[in-house]
Amino acid sequence: MDLLAAARQVRLLAMDIDGTLTDGSIWIGPQGECAKRFSVRDGFGIKLLQKAGIELAIITGRRSEIVARRAEELGIQHVFQDVPDKLVVLKELGARLGIGLQEMAFIGDDWPDLAAMQACVLPAAPADAVPEVLAVARWVAPSRAGNGALRELADFLLASRGERDGLLARYRLAPARPDATA
C-alpha cells in the first residue's frame, strides 16, 4: 500500500514522548524535580487531529507526572506510562476501541518503539530518531523531536485525508469583498 493510502486509513495515532514529543532531554533540579520541554506547535497539531476525529494515545516507557499533565492539557484520553512492551498496549487499546493495527500510526524514536511501529500501517519518526527506527519508518518528519515533528505528521495525515485546508480555512480572514462603488 502506498504512503498516502496508508495515511488515509489512520484512525489512531500513538506516540512515544521522550525523543518524539520532547527533544529527549530530562532536566533534574537540585531538589529532584524534573522538567521537559514540549513544542506548542506539536500541541496544536494534536488538537487538529482531534478535530478530525483521530484518536490519540501516549505510550511511553517512563513514568512522569509531567506527561500526565501535558496529556490532560491536550485532552489526550489514552495515556500509558511505564510500559515495557508498547505493542502489547497498542493491541489492547485497539481491541478496546475497535481499531485495527492497519488503521494505526505510531511515531517513535528509539529501539523500544520498533515493534509497535512495525505493526502499524504507518510507522513514523522525527528526523533525529536512531538509525534503526529511521530504517522502518515510512514517514520521517523534516524536524527534530520536540521541534514540530508531530505537527508535521499531523499536517501530513490531515492533508492525506483532504481535511487540512478545511481546518486551516477557519483561521484565515475571509477574502475582502470588492468595493461595489469602485
Side-chain angles (χ1 to χ4, degrees), residues 74-142:
L74 293 172
I76 299 173
Q77 298 177 7
H78 311 292
V79 180
F80 306 92
Q81 298 195 64
D82 201 20
V83 174
D85 188 335
K86 296 178 183 186
L87 180 55
V88 168
V89 170
L90 194 61
K91 287 179 178 179
E92 289 171 356
L93 177 61
R96 197 168 73 229
L97 298 175
I99 298 174
L101 293 168
Q102 74 282 1
E103 300 170 296
M104 295 183 193
F106 191 101
I107 183 167
D109 71 299
D110 213 332
W111 294 359
D113 304 317
L114 282 169
M117 289 176 67
Q118 289 175 297
C120 292
V121 70
L122 183 59
D128 56 341
V130 299
E132 296 82 1
V133 166
L134 292 173
V136 303
R138 293 191 65 199
W139 183 90
V140 177

Side-chain angles (χ1 to χ4, degrees), residues 19-83:
T20 302
L21 285 185
T22 75
D23 66 4
S25 298
I26 300 170
W27 297 313
I28 301 175
Q31 307 302 318
E33 69 277 13
C34 288
K36 299 180 187 213
R37 182 184 68 83
F38 293 91
S39 165
V40 294
R41 283 191 205 147
D42 289 338
F44 187 66
I46 286 169
K47 297 309 255 181
L48 291 173
L49 291 170
Q50 289 167 332
K51 286 179 184 177
I54 295 175
E55 292 280 348
L56 296 159
I58 291 172
I59 305 175
T60 180
R62 293 179 48 87
R63 176 162 300 284
S64 167
E65 184 55 39
I66 297 163
V67 170
R69 181 174 178 192
R70 184 66 173 148
E72 184 179 339
E73 287 176 353
L74 293 172
I76 299 173
Q77 298 177 7
H78 311 292
V79 180
F80 306 92
Q81 298 195 64
D82 201 20
V83 174

